[in-house]
Amino acid sequence: MERGGKEAQQYVWDGAIPLQIHLHDSEVTTLPPPAPALILAPRIGYLPLLSPQLKPFFSGALPPGVDTVWFDYKGLPLKWYIPTGVLFDLLCAEPERPWNLTVHFRGYPGNVLIPCDGEDSVKWSYINSLKEAAYIIHGSSKNVMNMSQPDQIDLWRSVMNGKLETYNRISSKLKLGIVRDDFSAKLNPSSSKIQHSVDETEATAAPKASRIPVRLYICNVDEDFDDFEEELHFDSWDQISYINRPVEINGEEFYPNSSNTIKAEFKNEPGIEAEEESKTGIIEGTSIESVESQSLSGQPVIKLVRIQGIEPKSEIPFSWVVKNLMNPDYFLHICLYIKAPKPLDS
Amino acid sequence: MASNQATCDGSLSLIDFQIAANDFAEKWKKFNSAYPEWLWIDCSNRLGFAAHGVIDGYLSLQNVFIRRSLEEERDEGGCNDDEEPFDNATLSTSDDGDQYHFHVVYSPSYRVPVLYFHVQNTDGQPLNLDEIKTNLPTKSAKVLLESKWTFITQQEHPYLNRPWYMLHPCGTSEWMKLLLVGVDNSMATNGTERYMISWFSVVGQVFGLKLPFEMLKSIG
């Protein structure tokens, strides 16, 4: 990601996952069974929003009854309120293209998944996350709650249809600009003057000590997981830890780098002291010795970090990552594969 | 060290939450012994290691049997004597009520405790939201639920990967601020302990659970 300005955000919004969707065997009533549907799913979107596109493929084959759509990946029911790109980054260590999913129209697993009644449920979940992000950033959700009806509808539609310009126009009214991003200005010196003044406006809306909405999805892998060809199979969501906790960063002039921020975050350490941090390189264990010493010293080793399908270089300032890789709900969704340390001898 | 924050803006830090939760559980055990105990469920190990200094867990109260209110009790409404805490919720000591589980989970986003709950009937079937609302024991519960500050929604339990019901936290700091207003700052050390008891005195009412007078008195 070598560009600043709006290009990175556009790149993220244009991102899509090719899906190959199969109807579950138990719901096939025709012979031959229907062919799988090939669909491009926006990274920043949500799976239930695909159902209007999917139904024509399968409606002829379904048993009679009421449709309630849900998806699974190798038997794992997919949480519909998690953005599609995040699900893909998390569940496919080695990216599978196309991503093979199974769709169901019956037998909704209500003991595992919260109910979804189609677009309205997804919209409610999105607005709810946006309110939570606003609360984290400003200490109040008022900006979001006071949005006019037309604005709310247009904002949601811009997310559904991937219209970044509309989205930026409406969301800028919410004044959720989090951190000043001088890194982009440095990358684009010619536009830095304009960029800087835009960022000034955003920065004045946010307090100096900032809280950043972050959602971490952490998967524990065992020792031998160095070769991503090895398939990581998820039988249940209990194998993944979900941490919905804001990151706190202090000061506008300070640009903690991503690796230290992420590392500190899941160790629940407030504040970042990037410059003091030793460079033993917890990220992507650079050498066998450093990896082993991390384990023996009781430190977890981060094997993989994925944000919007990207593995960010550890030198990239966290502020840049936040500004450009966040989802439309103003949350930064981070997938982490970590190797737990060996237990220390007592 | 307990901070004064709780009395200032209606919110609570994570560390203060743990202190307050512990205190709450102890006082409950002492003054509310007819109910099961609150237990702290520790989750610090869920990443496969206990990251240093991390507090991760929640308060759990399981197997509270609440008998469904009869029509007459519901119509009575009105205020109840603080000395008779079980007026509104007919606590059942046998298995003939709906079975409730309550979890108090800290929200780092809203910086307040959040009440999650799960209900099943005598046949072990989970109740849906309409059934739950219909069976809530008191008029005041319904008033609370109609307010914009406390409403029930179904969300995924942050630790259990299952849908649970919860009282949405977005209004909590607002009404906690009002509840704690006028607290003498010289009693600042009490702010944290006061928080959980005050908080529960409101949310518990949704289910007709009132705190015993002695417990309320203990925070001055």
Side-chain angles (χ1 to χ4, degrees):
Chain A
M1 287 276 77
E2 314 282 58
R3 300 180 182 190
K6 298 287 182 216
E7 290 93 342
Q9 205 189 8
Q10 186 69 58
Y11 188 85
V12 165
W13 275 59
D14 288 342
I17 318 280
L19 303 180
Q20 181 163 249
I21 301 188
H22 311 254
L23 181 62
H24 192 256
D25 286 342
S26 67
E27 298 181 22
V28 176
T29 60
T30 59
L31 209 59
L38 289 166
I39 282 193
L40 259 187
R43 272 194 157 270
I44 55 157
Y46 303 88
L47 289 174
L49 299 179
L50 301 174
S51 109
Q53 279 178 269
L54 283 177
K55 281 199 180 154
F57 282 91
F58 300 120
S59 52
L62 291 177
V66 180
D67 300 340
T68 3
V69 173
W70 59 283
F71 297 83
D72 83 68
Y73 175 55
K74 295 188 173 165
L76 181 75
L78 298 182
K79 298 188 182 183
W80 55 265
Y81 55 87
I82 298 181
T84 307
V86 178
L87 287 171
F88 181 66
D89 291 342
L90 180 62
L91 301 174
C92 268
E94 177 65 20
E96 193 184 299
R97 291 195 169 89
W99 193 25
N100 283 288
L101 298 182
T102 306
V103 69
H104 306 247
F105 291 88
R106 306 278 182 278
Y108 195 89
N111 58 334
V112 175
L113 294 182
I114 53 179
C116 179
D117 296 317
E119 189 196 309
D120 276 344
S121 303
V122 186
K123 179 182 171 194
W124 192 93
S125 170
Y126 167 75
I127 299 283
N128 201 34
S129 292
L130 192 62
K131 282 187 196 168
E132 186 182 339
Y135 194 95
I136 291 169
I137 295 166
H138 280 311
S140 147
S141 314
K142 289 198 174 85
N143 292 12
V144 178
M145 299 206 289
N146 293 339
M147 277 176 83
S148 70
Q149 271 285 54
D151 270 354
Q152 235 195 57
I153 293 174
D154 287 344
L155 183 71
W156 171 241
R157 287 225 178 102
S158 73
V159 174
M160 266 206 303
N161 302 323
K163 301 288 182 219
L164 181 54
E165 228 178 275
T166 313
Y167 171 81
N168 275 332
R169 181 175 53 79
I170 304 177
S171 66
S172 60
K173 298 187 202 177
L174 298 172
K175 297 226 183 311
L176 292 174
I178 302 166
V179 289
R180 220 173 54 196
D181 173 30
D182 286 352
F183 185 61
S184 299
K186 284 182 190 146
L187 293 173
N188 271 331
S190 54
S191 62
S192 68
K193 202 169 176 190
I194 302 163
Q195 187 68 24
H196 202 70
S197 60
V198 169
D199 288 331
E200 288 280 12
T201 320
E202 286 184 348
T204 52
K208 282 200 190 313
S210 310
R211 298 210 304 156
I212 315 269
V214 170
R215 290 183 172 162
L216 292 178
Y217 306 82
I218 302 180
C219 166
N220 243 315
V221 296
D222 62 29
E223 290 193 46
D224 306 317
F225 189 78
D226 277 313
D227 176 6
F228 290 163
E229 292 299 317
E230 287 242 352
E231 277 193 7
L232 202 65
H233 187 61
F234 294 97
D235 297 308
S236 112
W237 284 93
D238 293 336
Q239 293 168 249
I240 294 165
S241 297
Y242 168 62
I243 299 186
N244 181 21
R245 183 164 61 219
V247 166
E248 312 216 3
I249 64 177
N250 300 305
E252 290 176 7
E253 301 305 326
F254 195 64
Y255 302 113
N257 73 36
S258 310
S259 67
N260 292 317
T261 308
I262 291 169
K263 184 172 54 103
E265 182 46 27
F266 81 85
K267 282 161 67 182
N268 197 30
E269 286 160 17
I272 315 297
E273 305 298 331
E275 303 313 309
E276 315 309 312
E277 206 65 52
S278 77
K279 299 209 171 139
T280 47
I282 292 228
I283 294 276
E284 288 130 334
T286 41
S287 69
I288 308 269
E289 298 86 66
S290 75
V291 167
E292 277 181 1
S293 70
Q294 298 298 345
S295 299
L296 293 172
S297 68
Q299 298 289 320
V301 178
I302 298 178
K303 303 297 280 183
L304 183 65
V305 181
R306 269 201 199 127
I307 308 176
Q308 300 292 5
I310 295 161
E311 294 170 44
K313 290 192 167 71
S314 45
E315 308 85 61
I316 299 177
F318 192 60
S319 56
W320 187 94
V321 170
V322 170
K323 189 168 176 219
N324 292 285
L325 302 187
M326 69 177 188
N327 272 62
D329 53 9
Y330 274 86
F331 272 88
L332 189 65
H333 298 253
I334 304 178
C335 298
L336 281 179
Y337 280 32
I338 62 171
K339 186 182 97 182
K342 295 189 175 72
L344 301 173
D345 292 327
S346 50
Chain B
M1 190 186 77
S3 72
N4 200 14
Q5 181 188 4
T7 55
C8 294
D9 63 2
S11 73
L12 199 64
S13 73
L14 175 58
I15 293 174
D16 285 348
F17 167 71
Q18 210 197 17
I19 296 172
N22 260 313
D23 185 77
F24 178 76
E26 275 171 22
K27 293 208 166 104
W28 176 280
K29 182 170 166 185
K30 186 169 165 190
F31 296 118
N32 231 0
S33 46
Y35 282 92
E37 280 177 46
W38 287 92
L39 299 173
W40 178 262
I41 309 295
D42 178 58
C43 303
S44 340
N45 233 9
R46 63 180 172 138
L47 295 179
F49 62 94
H52 98 100
V54 169
I55 303 159
D56 201 4
Y58 57 94
L59 263 187
S60 160
L61 181 68
Q62 309 263 112
N63 304 320
V64 177
F65 289 93
I66 299 180
R67 211 178 289 135
R68 296 184 186 191
S69 62
L70 306 169
E71 279 305 325
E72 311 93 76
E73 280 177 11
R74 262 191 248 153
D75 291 344
E76 248 174 285
C79 65
N80 291 282
D81 217 311
D82 276 347
E83 260 97 61
E84 292 169 41
F86 305 131
D87 259 352
N88 288 345
T90 312
L91 182 66
S92 181
T93 49
S94 64
D95 292 355
D96 66 346
D98 293 324
Q99 185 187 44
Y100 284 74
H101 302 307
F102 297 101
H103 290 177
V104 181
V105 184
Y106 181 75
S107 164
S109 304
Y110 291 99
R111 291 197 274 215
V112 293
V114 184
L115 186 71
Y116 284 80
F117 64 96
H118 180 80
V119 200
Q120 53 196 56
N121 64 18
T122 46
D123 297 324
Q125 289 300 315
L127 300 184
N128 67 36
L129 192 51
D130 289 324
E131 289 167 322
I132 292 174
K133 283 184 175 170
T134 318
N135 292 318
L136 289 175
T138 60
K139 268 188 186 169
S140 62
K142 298 197 207 302
V143 167
L144 264 174
L145 291 181
E146 254 122 60
S147 94
K148 59 170 183 155
W149 281 351
T150 46
F151 55 98
I152 296 179
T153 125
Q154 197 170 23
Q155 290 263 69
E156 194 157 292
H157 191 292
Y159 295 95
L160 299 180
N161 286 316
R162 270 174 161 44
W164 273 53
Y165 290 103
M166 71 161 192
L167 290 185
H168 201 282
C170 61
T172 301
S173 65
E174 290 294 310
W175 55 257
M176 278 305 294
K177 207 165 26 178
L178 293 180
L179 205 62
L180 296 171
V181 84
V183 168
D184 185 350
N185 272 350
S186 68
M187 300 176 75
T189 49
N190 234 1
T192 302
E193 286 85 23
R194 177 188 302 273
Y195 191 101
M196 281 296 291
I197 292 177
S198 306
W199 174 82
F200 193 84
S201 71
V202 174
V203 302
Q205 285 190 56
V206 172
F207 304 94
L209 300 172
K210 295 190 87 170
L211 295 178
F213 182 65
E214 297 89 351
M215 200 160 163
L216 295 169
K217 206 167 78 167
S218 74
I219 55 173

